Amino acid sequence: MDVMSTAVSLADTSEIAGTAAAMIGRCQATGIVVASYRGLIAAAVTLGMQPALRGRAWPTDTTFVTALVDLECDLFSRLTQVNAMIDRLVGDIEWLESQYTGTPETEIYLRRSAVLRAALDVLIPAQTRLNYALGRVMAVPEELGETYAAACAHVRSGRQLPFNGRWITGRTAG
């Protein structure tokens, strides 16, 4: 695979974004308060995908947290690959430009450098998106804790929460 194809492939975050979007749909189906997974929403949108409106409910909190950790690992892995390629390209560009002497025989170095710079133009925005998305996904556990801190304290004191986490309001679903 040539340099530009590799850069475009690494910059394509649609699969990771689709995973995040599907997770959002599952959070909605589970009834999790939106404020507690807003980082997941931000990550999906940043990576180019609108949140899914429907999904299957998470069967357990462990399943959700495991999927969240997997998403974080995928983002970190992709960011590591992007960073490594950027570092390689920057080093290669510096070397190529140091070889250019202004003679027709060394024009090839400038042409090759231009191709590598074009690859950088694809990777640097992807690096920014991945950095932001990773930070937002990493914030979700804290957001969950903030949202559900009162419920956890309630349970720790020996009380119980309503079945399926649903509060009884007296109103029927409409």
Side-chain angles (χ1 to χ4, degrees):
M1 191 181 292
D2 68 0
V3 170
M4 186 56 84
S5 297
T6 303
V8 168
S9 177
L10 285 175
D12 179 8
T13 57
S14 58
E15 185 177 332
I16 298 171
T19 299
M23 289 173 66
I24 293 163
R26 294 188 77 177
C27 288
Q28 290 172 339
T30 304
I32 299 172
V33 176
V34 174
S36 64
Y37 60 91
R38 64 181 175 251
L40 193 55
I41 296 170
V45 171
T46 298
L47 297 173
M49 188 74 62
Q50 292 300 314
L53 299 177
R54 303 247 187 260
R56 225 175 9 143
W58 295 106
T60 65
D61 55 348
T62 305
T63 308
F64 173 50
V65 172
T66 300
L68 195 60
V69 169
D70 289 345
L71 178 63
E72 184 179 327
C73 290
D74 290 347
L75 284 165
F76 183 79
S77 175
R78 180 66 62 88
L79 181 59
T80 300
Q81 292 171 329
V82 167
N83 287 340
M85 187 166 186
I86 288 172
D87 290 345
R88 267 193 322 274
L89 291 175
V90 168
D92 290 350
I93 290 168
E94 289 172 355
W95 183 85
L96 287 166
E97 291 179 353
S98 74
Q99 300 304 304
Y100 177 67
T101 61
T103 63
E105 298 84 33
T106 60
E107 286 291 320
I108 186 96
Y109 294 119
L110 285 184
R111 286 194 298 275
R112 181 69 180 151
S113 175
V115 169
L116 299 183
R117 285 185 183 281
L120 274 180
D121 289 343
V122 170
L123 289 171
I124 290 175
Q127 180 187 47
T128 302
R129 286 191 317 273
L130 288 163
N131 263 322
Y132 180 76
L134 179 60
R136 295 304 294 142
V137 167
M138 290 172 69
V140 171
E142 185 175 322
E143 291 169 351
L144 276 166
E146 289 171 4
T147 303
Y148 292 100
C152 290
H154 182 78
V155 170
R156 271 191 228 111
S157 71
R159 298 187 186 121
Q160 292 183 341
L161 290 177
F163 175 72
N164 234 5
R166 308 281 183 187
W167 295 101
I168 299 170
T169 63
R171 289 182 280 163
T172 59

